[in-house]
Amino acid sequence: MSFWKTIFGKSKKIKSESQLENEISTEFRNWVKSSIKLIGIEGGDMENEELHNYLIQNGIPEFDAGELIIFLPTAFCRKLLPDIKWLPEYVDYYSKKKQIKKKYNENNRYLIIEEETEKYWNNNPSKKIVLNIAGRSAEFNAINKMLNNGGKLEDVKLTESYVIR
């Protein structure tokens, strides 16, 4: 044992976001299921920070709560509007110098979210829950604004979504 460890004890490593991103709890699927209700019912009027704290208070770890707030609305919006030509990638934006393109189908959390969205959809979904969740996505809001301004659904052209980290 090194001198510094002897004096200060074992160092506790704080997991980086990339480590957290790669480690998925076996409970994640259950957190997705409970988040559909938590976000869709109680969280409908909450801002993201309040919703994040609410998910944490309901037993979802901080990192996973953030991922659910980002990706559950995206999955619901894609399911709600299947005729749109959705892009396969998004950008994790850390800074001007650090932007990483990622594919949705390579994000294991997103794949679980998408599977649970599909299951929810096939089990008599609540219109209120669907709109509360899909309505949180930037894509939904942009498309809705375009339609309200007289645009047509077939005219929708999307750019990659940016996830600010």
Side-chain angles (χ1 to χ4, degrees), residues 78-92:
R78 287 173 173 235
K79 188 68 181 166
L80 181 64
L81 302 169
D83 296 331
I84 302 238
K85 187 175 185 219
W86 296 101
L87 297 175
E89 298 175 327
Y90 64 95
V91 176
D92 270 344

Side-chain angles (χ1 to χ4, degrees), residues 17 67 70 90-95 161-165:
E17 192 164 293
E67 296 297 283
I70 294 166
Y90 64 95
V91 176
D92 270 344
Y93 184 93
Y94 295 92
S95 68
S161 295
Y162 277 69
V163 177
I164 310 297
R165 299 288 184 175

Side-chain angles (χ1 to χ4, degrees), residues 82-136:
D83 296 331
I84 302 238
K85 187 175 185 219
W86 296 101
L87 297 175
E89 298 175 327
Y90 64 95
V91 176
D92 270 344
Y93 184 93
Y94 295 92
S95 68
K96 280 186 174 185
K97 293 182 179 182
K98 186 177 179 188
Q99 299 175 33
I100 303 168
K101 273 190 181 186
K102 295 192 175 177
K103 293 186 180 286
Y104 286 100
N105 67 6
E106 293 176 356
N107 177 330
N108 291 325
R109 280 183 178 80
Y110 182 79
L111 292 174
I112 293 169
I113 290 169
E114 195 174 55
E115 288 171 12
E116 292 305 319
T117 296
E118 183 71 29
K119 287 178 187 175
Y120 179 76
W121 224 265
N122 292 330
N123 195 21
N124 196 23
S126 157
K127 183 178 180 180
K128 178 183 178 185
I129 290 175
V130 167
L131 290 176
N132 280 347
I133 295 174
R136 297 186 79 84

Side-chain angles (χ1 to χ4, degrees), residues 31-84:
W31 296 331
V32 173
K33 291 175 189 176
S34 64
S35 290
I36 290 171
K37 290 190 175 87
L38 293 171
I39 295 172
I41 298 172
E42 292 94 357
D45 294 328
M46 293 181 190
E47 294 295 325
N48 284 342
E49 188 173 333
E50 182 183 4
L51 180 59
H52 189 252
N53 290 332
Y54 182 65
L55 294 177
I56 292 168
Q57 290 168 1
N58 279 276
I60 299 171
E62 184 176 353
F63 181 82
D64 293 303
E67 296 297 283
L68 287 162
I69 290 171
I70 294 166
F71 292 112
L72 187 62
T74 299
F76 266 65
C77 187
R78 287 173 173 235
K79 188 68 181 166
L80 181 64
L81 302 169
D83 296 331
I84 302 238

Side-chain angles (χ1 to χ4, degrees), residues 15-28:
K15 290 185 179 182
S16 71
E17 192 164 293
S18 63
Q19 287 173 312
L20 289 170
E21 189 176 313
N22 293 325
E23 295 176 9
I24 299 178
S25 170
T26 56
E27 288 297 308
F28 188 74

